[in-house]
Amino acid sequence: MEAKLQELKNRLMEVDDLNNAVALLSWDQTTYMPPGGATARGRQMATLQRIGHEKFTDAAIGKLLDDLRPYEESLPYDSDDASLIRVTRRAYEKLIRLPSDFVAEMSNHAALSYQVWTEARPANDFNKVLSHLERTLDMSRKMADYFPGYSHIADPLIDFSDDGMKAESVREVFGQLRQQLVPLVRAITAQEPADSSCLSLHYPENQQLDFGLEVIKQYGYDFNRGRQDKTHHPFMTKFSLGDVRITTRVNEHDLGDALFSTLHEAGHGMYEQGINMAYEGTPLAGGTSAGVHESQSRLWENIVGRSRGFWEYYYPRLQSIFPEQLGKVSLDKFYRAINKVQRSLIRVDADEVTYNLHVMIRFDLELELLEGKLEIRDLPEAWDERYETDLGIHAPDNRDGVLQDVHWYGGLIGGAFQGYTLGNILSGLYYAQALKAHPEIPSEIGQGKFDTLHTWMRDNIYTHGSKFTADELTEKVTGGPLRIEPYIDYLKTKYGELYSL
Ligand code: ZN
């Protein structure tokens, strides 16, 4: 058995090496690569992905997984070896359904589509991406159809990022959340909006970047195993547990843009950096689901990074960096500015209260696209209609409308958006649990100390990597299933105080 397990690990390590080479090529594409490299880069990534997929779905791996079943069953469920075999088998059974040529074709298409989007968005030209997006929809539907027996065509795609969730279960949770959020948004937006003009003064890029780096260093993001670069749409990526990178983008007339995306991506990065190093090179060495991943980015971005205590500590420091811009702005005014609730156009810049409404729009639209009820050419109009009905606003152009998010243009329609809202819900749930164990956390945050919170998250969530599914992890950490109440309580308490509701 030991020899077989070792052989499985060796094979998985090879696949992991190939996947990480793809990740590195993709990171380069979105940070430093000149546009002229796009065609060849798409082909290079497709080649590596094809080889990686062929190696992972090799019949020899299936045979090893079969042979190792008695060994797996002799071990406790949560042992490292049993978990490695179980999680590998789950991935194997999924990926073996996809032909390697299809994987390569998707990868190649994704790289080209992304490149076209980077040009189409600044040019405000939806037509430029239209045919690419139509192909993406075809391929997404085709991908789902490799998993017959689903009850909704989005289910297999959701399953890839949020294992265990289905279109129906997501709709159910979103429905509950919407019921709570809509009256809250209405009550807040009935009031005089907060004055956030202090955030749109001129803030030079280097100072903005330095401040963000200073904060995440204090959070515990490890620069010995990470770095930050600039990109179009911020993300986190990993080439090994020793190299977990983040990206950001800077707007010199929006202080929040770079800072909060840095805090957000650092949350993703700390999750990956906190995984048990013994899992390196195996399918256990990654966050367990999009939702759990997002719970960590949103925790460090919002629950911590937009809290009153955090800014009691950091605001004097920020004022000393930007004395002309912020010297005369009180902490109270600044705190209200960074937590301004408004019906706005851009998801990634949205406040915590309206954010999930943006996600729900995208989720519903992608279901309609996959169901064949909505055509790509009608998407911009459908987008505008939903923003009108759900948020009462209309984007002046497609750049800040349907072209704003990279996801659909990055090669797949379906499965990408629900994780954001699940993550918000989980951030509230996990944070409440951390507070039960350590009620001193908020006062520590007020002193710029994040060790207790970081350590709790690492020991309870990060270290496990993908050993447990999202549902198993939530059960283990909180003693029950996913529920929205702690997150709703968090929002109502914070915004109730801010807006005297
Ligand atoms: Zn994120």
Side-chain angles (χ1 to χ4, degrees):
M1 282 301 165
E2 242 165 66
K4 290 196 170 174
L5 185 64
Q6 194 51 52
E7 195 195 335
L8 178 67
K9 285 182 179 172
N10 292 346
R11 285 175 177 268
L12 292 174
M13 182 74 83
E14 233 178 28
V15 173
D16 195 60
D17 288 344
L18 288 162
N19 289 342
N20 287 320
V22 174
L24 179 57
L25 290 178
S26 168
W27 169 86
D28 175 70
Q29 181 191 27
T30 52
T31 49
Y32 295 107
M33 189 191 79
T39 307
R41 184 56 50 89
R43 188 188 65 238
Q44 292 155 355
M45 293 198 291
T47 300
L48 289 177
Q49 282 204 303
R50 180 193 294 112
I51 300 171
H53 185 265
E54 282 167 0
K55 282 188 176 287
F56 186 68
T57 54
D58 192 310
I61 292 215
K63 175 84 169 53
L64 284 168
L65 289 169
D66 284 343
D67 292 349
L68 285 163
R69 200 185 283 272
Y71 174 62
E72 177 195 355
E73 285 167 358
S74 74
L75 297 170
Y77 185 84
D78 64 353
S79 75
D80 285 353
D81 284 353
S83 301
L84 172 66
I85 298 165
R86 180 179 68 247
V87 170
T88 303
R89 182 181 296 111
R90 201 180 293 141
Y92 178 82
E93 284 172 356
K94 262 184 216 172
L95 290 180
I96 196 155
R97 291 167 178 264
L98 300 175
S100 295
D101 284 346
F102 177 75
V103 172
E105 195 187 334
M106 274 204 92
S107 166
N108 200 355
H109 171 64
L112 289 181
S113 170
Y114 172 82
Q115 198 61 37
V116 175
W117 171 77
T118 61
E119 293 154 24
R121 188 178 181 216
N124 188 32
D125 187 356
F126 182 76
N127 283 330
K128 206 178 164 92
V129 286
L130 190 127
S131 64
H132 296 276
L133 202 54
E134 283 175 338
R135 178 135 189 260
T136 303
L137 180 60
D138 285 343
M139 294 183 82
S140 303
R141 296 176 57 95
K142 196 171 164 190
M143 182 161 163
D145 285 334
Y146 285 116
F147 300 84
Y150 53 71
S151 54
H152 190 284
I153 185 167
D155 289 352
L157 306 175
I158 294 172
D159 200 66
F160 266 101
S161 39
D162 287 292
D163 186 88
M165 296 302 283
K166 299 202 171 343
E168 199 45 49
S169 49
V170 174
R171 271 184 178 143
E172 159 94 33
V173 177
F174 281 16
Q176 292 171 16
L177 193 62
R178 180 188 283 272
Q179 270 194 342
Q180 300 286 329
L181 290 175
V182 169
L184 190 60
V185 172
R186 200 177 295 135
I188 294 172
T189 52
Q191 298 191 23
E192 187 71 18
D195 173 10
S196 59
S197 56
C198 63
L199 302 178
S200 47
L201 302 171
H202 182 243
Y203 292 92
E205 172 167 324
N206 285 342
Q207 287 158 296
Q208 284 198 45
L209 288 172
D210 287 349
F211 179 71
L213 295 176
E214 184 182 324
V215 173
I216 63 173
K217 193 169 177 203
Q218 199 69 18
Y219 271 1
Y221 175 81
D222 181 357
F223 281 93
N224 201 28
R225 297 190 290 144
R227 55 177 285 134
Q228 177 174 266
D229 295 88
K230 287 201 296 174
T231 190
H232 294 276
H233 197 107
F235 64 92
M236 181 277 308
T237 186
K238 180 186 68 182
F239 313 133
S240 71
L241 291 173
D243 189 351
V244 180
R245 302 190 190 185
I246 60 174
T247 57
T248 194
R249 66 176 166 206
V250 183
N251 176 345
E252 291 202 321
H253 290 277
D254 182 351
L255 181 60
D257 207 353
L259 175 62
F260 291 110
S261 74
T262 293
L263 303 189
H264 179 103
E265 301 307 333
H268 284 302
M270 283 152 66
Y271 184 2
E272 296 282 333
Q273 288 181 338
I275 293 170
N276 186 341
M277 293 295 274
Y279 300 163
E280 179 81 285
T282 76
L284 297 181
T288 192
S289 75
V292 175
H293 235 298
E294 200 66 13
S295 77
Q296 295 312 304
S297 54
R298 301 292 282 175
L299 171 86
W300 292 101
E301 176 193 358
N302 291 330
I303 297 183
V304 178
R306 289 182 208 264
S307 70
R308 176 97 197 181
F310 176 94
W311 287 104
E312 277 167 7
Y313 179 78
Y314 275 110
Y315 191 54
R317 172 77 187 127
L318 189 67
Q319 282 178 308
S320 75
I321 298 171
F322 300 114
E324 279 171 35
Q325 298 90 329
L326 294 172
K328 294 198 175 89
V329 178
S330 68
L331 168 63
D332 196 54
K333 190 165 181 185
F334 180 80
Y335 176 62
R336 292 179 71 82
I338 57 163
N339 287 296
K340 178 180 184 176
V341 176
Q342 60 185 336
R343 301 172 193 271
S344 65
L345 290 171
I346 308 288
R347 175 185 61 90
V348 294
D349 299 334
D351 58 85
E352 293 176 89
V353 186
T354 57
Y355 183 91
N356 296 300
L357 300 177
H358 292 262
V359 173
M360 290 173 194
I361 292 174
R362 288 153 179 76
F363 182 73
D364 290 346
L365 289 175
E366 64 185 15
L367 293 194
E368 282 179 45
L369 288 168
L370 289 165
E371 288 163 4
K373 288 182 184 155
L374 176 63
E375 303 277 339
I376 293 289
R377 63 169 179 276
D378 299 324
L379 182 60
E381 202 182 321
W383 179 283
D384 289 343
E385 274 172 27
R386 278 297 300 267
Y387 265 79
E388 199 72 62
T389 50
D390 288 27
L391 286 152
I393 47 171
H394 197 102
D397 55 29
N398 287 327
R399 184 185 0 230
D400 287 339
V402 70
L403 285 172
Q404 68 178 267
D405 285 312
V406 62
H407 308 65
W408 294 335
Y409 309 99
L412 189 66
I413 294 175
F417 282 106
Q418 77 287 331
Y420 291 112
T421 287
L422 296 173
N424 281 325
I425 296 169
L426 290 171
S427 72
L429 190 58
Y430 296 155
Y431 185 65
Q433 204 63 32
L435 290 192
K436 273 187 204 164
H438 298 284
E440 71 278 18
I441 286 173
S443 74
E444 288 186 359
I445 291 173
Q447 300 159 48
K449 293 183 190 154
F450 308 102
D451 279 6
T452 308
L453 180 60
H454 186 189
T455 304
W456 189 91
M457 289 293 160
R458 195 189 61 212
D459 294 349
N460 287 279
I461 294 173
Y462 307 168
T463 185
H464 301 305
S466 293
K467 180 184 267 190
F468 303 109
T469 65
D471 288 347
E472 288 169 350
L473 187 68
T474 298
E475 185 75 39
K476 189 175 157 63
V477 171
T478 70
L482 176 137
R483 50 196 197 93
I484 66 168
E485 288 76 12
Y487 175 59
I488 290 294
D489 288 347
Y490 157 75
L491 287 180
K492 285 188 173 166
T493 305
K494 175 173 175 180
Y495 290 91
E497 276 168 19
L498 262 165
Y499 287 89
S500 315
L501 299 177

